[in-house]
Amino acid sequence: MTQTPAPPGAARRRHDREIIGLAVPAFGALVAEPLFVMADSAIVGHLGTGQLAGLGVASALLTTAVSVFVFLAYATTAAVARRVGAGDLRSAIRQGMDGIWLALLIGAAVIAVVLPTAPGIVELFGASQTAAPYATTYLRISMLGVPAMLVALASTGVLRGLQDTRTPLYVAVGGFAANAVLNVGLVYGADLGIAGSAWGTVIAQCGMAAAYLYVVVRGARRHGASLRPDAAGIRASAQAGVPLLVRTLSLRAILMIATAVAARLGDADIAAHQIILSLWSLLAFALDAIAIAGQAIIGRYLGAGDAQGAREACRRMVQWGISTGLALGLLVLAARPLFLPLFTSDAAVHRTALPALVLVAVSQPVCGVVFVLDGVLMGAGDGPYLAWAMLLTLAVFAPVALLVPVLGGGLTALWAAMTLMMTVRMLTLWLRSRSGRWVVTGAAR
């Protein structure tokens, strides 16, 4: 008996349900992460300016150290999702355990490097004599939580690969609540000052890691997956992560160059740049949520050998990226007069920021395509191409940005360079998606 073809919109609706089901909880988890730093800042800020400045330096170092290893989530998501698509849940969770063991090894190495060198690192980043002791205290204590933070990253990747973004949301919300309560209790109740804030964060991060491990280990036992470290599997996880590490470092270099250039333009420019960058990062959370859905969905389709399904899902997610980018851009344009006064009443900063905000708004559809295709190629395990594409983008952006103080144009010119950077990324990713070379089916790439 001949099957009746599905209605034209049926596949689109199916993809929409999958994207929304994965992206919405992922967005909630992404937004919860910066709340850790915000809660710490609000609590420590009442101790004094020196303590808050020290927290600012230490938390920036900690955030940078952890974000460099975000490949633990990305690479694990792709590898696990492929095996889920192939119907081999035992192998999928085994692959996830390899990523978790790698996270523990990296975390131990970070502690071994940072603990004895913390004062020198703080000094290198320009902390004042008043802030340096507080920064060193916070950094040394908070570093003890790095293995837990990296395990949380890898475990999040496991769950995303298993098509579960709700559990990371619940853990993130619970971790944020615990962090806030612990910080208040240890900073003021136990009178530990900034050290109490660091210990509160470490305890909360360890609790989050324990919650993730409970879920993953329960799944491993259910499907008969081994929990023991496997040298070959850990090595494979590391090899898959190296190209994504290169990509992340290149992106961090771009952001650092942009901040350094803004600092050379003047006080109003660097103040406006920081405000705009914070908004740009917030908008990125919404777009990155779609990218996370893309990693999980594309990996699953390719693992199941469904190349056509992967291409269709890619097209639909690009449409989502463009639509979301347009909506975010219009929101930025409409909210410009209300947004800036939240941060400063300085008229000079307002005048400097407004034209650059227009560029941010206009570029959001481009950002939408970039984030989605980035997620698609990550889900396909196409890390080496992503690394080379980001290095090319850095090579284009750096000279253009560094010429801004020479040629003039101020902050608007700098954000024009940032828009150029995103456009180059879009072109490299679009060309790859059009080539079809990322479509490699099977349980492993």
Side-chain angles (χ1 to χ4, degrees):
M1 182 176 178
T2 305
Q3 286 187 332
T4 304
R12 185 170 64 249
R13 288 192 295 272
R14 184 179 73 252
H15 291 313
D16 288 346
R17 285 194 298 271
E18 286 185 330
I19 294 167
I20 293 171
L22 291 170
V24 172
F27 174 70
L30 289 170
V31 170
E33 291 174 10
L35 294 178
F36 272 84
V37 176
M38 291 178 63
D40 288 0
S41 299
I43 294 167
V44 171
H46 292 285
L47 295 174
T49 302
Q51 289 91 331
L52 184 58
L55 173 66
V57 173
S59 63
L61 289 167
L62 182 66
T63 301
T64 300
V66 173
S67 65
V68 164
F69 300 113
V70 72
F71 70 83
L72 289 167
Y74 293 160
T76 304
T77 297
V80 171
R82 275 184 175 271
R83 287 159 176 80
V84 169
D88 189 354
L89 288 176
R90 178 180 179 180
S91 177
I93 297 176
R94 174 64 260 181
Q95 181 72 35
M97 287 303 306
D98 292 333
I100 290 172
W101 281 110
L102 176 62
L104 284 170
L105 292 174
I106 294 173
V110 170
I111 289 177
V113 171
V114 174
L115 278 185
T117 60
I121 295 173
V122 167
E123 183 180 355
L124 181 65
F125 273 75
S128 68
Q129 289 185 346
T130 303
Y134 298 115
T136 301
T137 297
Y138 189 93
L139 184 61
R140 277 181 163 160
I141 296 173
S142 62
M143 275 295 148
L144 299 176
V146 165
M149 296 171 76
L150 298 185
V151 165
L153 276 178
S155 301
T156 300
V158 176
L159 295 175
R160 289 172 181 170
L162 293 171
Q163 317 296 297
D164 175 12
T165 56
R166 291 182 180 274
T167 299
L169 171 61
Y170 301 147
V171 174
V173 171
F176 166 70
N179 179 67
V181 171
L182 286 166
N183 268 258
V184 171
L186 294 174
V187 171
Y188 298 111
D191 199 25
L192 294 179
I194 195 170
S197 176
W199 280 116
T201 300
V202 168
I203 295 169
Q205 293 288 356
C206 289
M208 291 173 66
Y212 279 125
L213 287 175
Y214 172 78
V215 174
V216 174
V217 169
R218 186 179 60 182
R221 288 175 174 168
R222 183 185 305 125
H223 297 286
S226 173
L227 300 176
R228 295 179 180 178
D230 176 66
I234 295 171
R235 187 164 53 250
S237 294
Q239 290 172 346
V242 168
L244 296 180
L245 176 61
V246 172
R247 167 201 168 274
T248 301
L249 290 174
S250 300
L251 181 57
R252 298 294 303 183
I254 287 170
L255 297 177
M256 289 175 65
I257 290 170
T259 300
V261 170
R264 294 180 60 188
L265 297 176
D267 289 346
D269 294 87
I270 184 61
H273 176 74
Q274 288 303 114
I275 293 171
I276 295 170
L277 192 60
S278 67
L279 173 63
W280 194 73
S281 300
L282 179 62
L283 298 173
F285 285 134
L287 299 173
D288 201 26
I290 305 174
I292 288 169
Q295 293 171 31
I297 293 170
I298 294 298
R300 192 189 75 234
Y301 273 116
L302 294 177
D306 188 355
Q308 182 60 30
R311 292 189 181 94
E312 291 175 357
C314 175
R315 283 194 293 269
R316 188 56 183 161
M317 279 183 281
V318 168
Q319 292 169 0
W320 268 84
I322 295 172
S323 300
T324 305
L326 282 170
L328 292 174
L330 291 173
L331 182 61
V332 170
L333 287 174
R336 278 186 306 155
L338 303 174
F339 175 72
L340 291 172
L342 295 175
F343 292 87
T344 180
S345 58
D346 191 324
V349 175
H350 287 200
R351 287 194 301 271
T352 303
L354 281 172
L357 276 175
V358 173
L359 284 173
V360 170
V362 170
S363 67
Q364 285 309 296
V366 173
C367 294
V369 175
V370 168
F371 276 87
V372 166
L373 290 181
D374 208 37
V376 166
L377 297 184
M378 283 183 190
D382 204 11
Y385 181 83
L386 290 172
W388 285 111
M390 189 58 79
L391 287 171
L392 172 63
T393 303
L394 174 60
V396 172
F397 171 78
V400 175
L402 293 173
L403 282 173
V404 168
V406 178
L407 299 179
L411 191 68
T412 303
L414 176 59
W415 275 91
M418 289 287 285
T419 303
L420 171 66
M421 178 269 294
M422 294 302 291
T423 303
V424 172
R425 288 188 69 190
M426 183 184 70
L427 290 173
T428 57
L429 297 173
W430 179 77
L431 288 172
R432 186 65 167 181
S433 69
R434 292 284 294 176
S435 73
R437 294 178 183 175
W438 58 276
V439 183
V440 179
T441 57
R445 185 177 172 89

